[in-house]
Amino acid sequence: MTALLRYHAALLLRSQRWLPPLLLYAAFLGISVQAGQPVLDSLGYSAAALLPVAAWLARICVTGEPDAARGCVASAAGPARAHVACLLVALAGAAALGTVATLLVTLLSDPVASDHRTRVPLAPPAGPGCSPRWPAPCSARPSARSPAGRSFGRGDVPCRLCCWGRCCPWWPPALRRRRRCRAW
Amino acid sequence: MRPDLCLQNAGRRYGLRGPWVLRGVDLTVAPGRLVRVEGANGSGKSTLLRLLAGIDAPSEGRITGRPRTAYVPERFPPALPFTASGYLTHLGTVHGLSRRAAARAAGEWLERLGAAAYAETPMARLSKGSSQKVAVAQALLAEPELLVLDEAWTGLDTDARAELERAVAERTVAGGSVVFVDHDPRRLAGLPDATYAVRDGSLVRRASREPSPSGPQVTVEAQGPPDGRLPEAAHRTATSAEETAPGRYRLTVPAPHSDVLLRTLLTAHPPWHVVSVSQREDTSGSLR
């Protein structure tokens, strides 16, 4: 498997087809994230943009190899393993990109919630943000609502949807508005 | 001893409701066998070879006894961002060699096929024939147990074709199986243990030794110890063996197998003395 991963990683890096998604991601972050913006908003934007970029990378890895070359590798290692290796390389690429973006965005942004008053400790949003990117703003919620000090309750589901809404600009406005009514 | 590769009632169609390209195929490929597959264009030969190579799974039926496999496609695209030796090293490690062994085998095979000069050339700049040589080398460098050749000779020059035929002979003698498709009836003529034809989506076994022209033959005269018996392996390789004097034999062997026979004789215990080697004219036409 190591040999397969190395082969596919070399194929991806040398083909330079990773450049367009990287540029797109950088451009999106450049437009949507500004220094001094609340950290959770910025992380939300960077997480939302990572999803299509990861999908694009996966597509590049899977389709980057000509059919005949793919056949040679598949007969040597088995088609399933060859395919899994493609996807793992794409996943690793997206994870690396996400980690770098999270660190940059966390350093550039203000450690405050969207109301610009509540302080947000940096470790919780950046930590989980590095691996499974999109739950980052949600997992930061406990610190934001810590004054209320209540456990997970009925109102949490809409709140979670709200914080997703913050990540996704295309979320219905009704849901995005709800964030005002709860802990934040 | 590894088990035979068996296709049991295997069928293949592309898509859930597509027409059957192949159906009800029963085929056993034992170790050391050379199998030829024939058929018209579009009859499903390549599909059968892809099933054998393990690239596609059968839509029905099953395949058991998968050995270490290598596959040579008919056309190998050079659109890969590697140099020839870099690509071969990667493929060698995928086949299970260490990086160093893979790099060494890559160099050896490129040299055998006459492409050593292109080892450091980016594959995008290789000609069609040279990239086909890379495709052949990637399949041979790890000494696979099953070699699947889909018109692998297409585009190779004369020397490389002969070298590939010798490599096939070496693989079968070393206990590997080889399945090949080629439209030239003289390709490895007289050597296949079985010939199958793909017709109307099913596989038909051709009667053995049906009028297939015999290819070029090589006559080897060898002298052993006075009461020496010919080594068993030499008996298997040679098509005819005739004792001209006590301990002296005249052996006739298909040209691709001549190196294998000489190696057998020279490494026997006690070693045999090779008196002469001569090539007989091909009975069915020019030597390709």
Side-chain angles (χ1 to χ4, degrees), chain A residues 3 6 11 14 66 68 72 75-76 79, chain B residues 53-54 69 71 75 77 81-82 95 138:
Chain A
R6 200 180 287 145
L11 199 60
R14 283 163 172 266
C72 294
S75 73
Chain B
T69 311
Y71 170 74
R75 274 187 304 271
F82 298 108
H95 276 285
Q138 65 80 24

Side-chain angles (χ1 to χ4, degrees), chain A residues 1 5 8 79-90:
Chain A
M1 198 66 182
L5 290 175
H8 280 293
R81 274 155 52 91
H83 197 70
V84 166
C86 284
L87 295 178
L88 281 180
V89 166

Side-chain angles (χ1 to χ4, degrees), chain A residues 40-109:
Chain A
L40 299 183
D41 292 15
S42 309
L43 283 176
Y45 279 120
S46 67
L50 191 65
L51 182 65
V53 168
W56 193 352
L57 267 181
R59 195 185 141 73
I60 287 172
C61 282
V62 172
T63 60
E65 205 180 6
D67 266 352
R70 199 174 166 76
C72 294
V73 174
S75 73
R81 274 155 52 91
H83 197 70
V84 166
C86 284
L87 295 178
L88 281 180
V89 166
L91 180 67
L97 197 57
T99 308
V100 171
T102 305
L103 291 177
L104 276 180
V105 164
T106 312
L107 287 178
L108 285 177
S109 308

Side-chain angles (χ1 to χ4, degrees), chain B residues 20-229:
Chain B
W20 287 97
V21 181
L22 278 177
R23 201 154 194 201
V25 173
D26 288 296
L27 176 63
T28 303
V29 184
R33 291 304 167 89
L34 177 61
V35 176
R36 180 188 185 107
V37 178
E38 297 178 339
N41 292 126
S43 58
K45 297 187 301 291
S46 291
T47 304
L48 174 66
L49 259 54
R50 287 173 70 86
L51 288 182
L52 282 169
I55 301 167
D56 291 339
S59 311
E60 66 170 22
R62 56 201 221 111
I63 299 181
T64 53
R66 157 98 21 233
R68 282 195 305 114
T69 311
Y71 170 74
V72 183
E74 174 190 7
R75 274 187 304 271
F76 194 70
L80 285 165
F82 298 108
T83 62
S85 68
Y87 175 71
L88 290 178
T89 309
H90 273 299
L91 263 279
T93 54
V94 169
H95 276 285
L97 300 179
S98 70
R99 276 188 80 74
R100 187 176 298 172
R104 196 174 52 234
E108 277 171 17
W109 276 104
L110 284 178
E111 191 158 350
R112 272 188 76 169
L113 293 166
Y118 307 116
E120 296 307 320
T121 309
M123 289 183 66
R125 291 220 298 269
L126 289 181
S127 68
K128 178 182 185 299
S130 303
S131 46
Q132 187 65 22
K133 286 178 183 177
V134 173
V136 170
Q138 65 80 24
L140 290 169
L141 51 77
E143 302 183 346
E145 292 167 340
L146 171 66
L147 181 61
V148 180
L149 305 170
D150 190 356
E151 299 184 32
W153 283 267
T154 317
L156 294 182
D157 54 33
T158 316
D159 293 344
R161 286 179 184 192
E163 192 58 49
L164 179 52
E165 293 194 2
R166 280 193 289 275
V168 166
E170 277 170 26
R171 284 287 0 112
T172 50
V173 168
S177 331
V178 180
V179 181
F180 76 101
V181 164
D182 202 82
H183 286 296
D184 184 353
R186 278 169 300 194
R187 180 77 54 224
L188 293 167
L191 293 182
D193 299 298
T195 303
Y196 292 89
V198 182
R199 249 180 246 134
D200 304 326
S202 59
L203 195 65
V204 189
R205 182 168 183 153
R206 283 216 345 211
S208 56
R209 312 289 174 194
E210 220 181 300
S212 68
S214 63
Q217 304 276 323
V218 169
T219 309
V220 176
E221 279 201 52
Q223 171 77 52
D227 55 343
R229 289 172 55 91

Side-chain angles (χ1 to χ4, degrees), chain B residues 244-268:
Chain B
T244 51
R248 194 181 179 109
Y249 282 84
R250 180 182 293 141
L251 305 161
T252 312
V253 65
H257 272 171
S258 58
D259 288 357
V260 174
L261 176 68
L262 291 176
R263 202 171 294 144
T264 312
L265 291 173
L266 294 171
T267 55

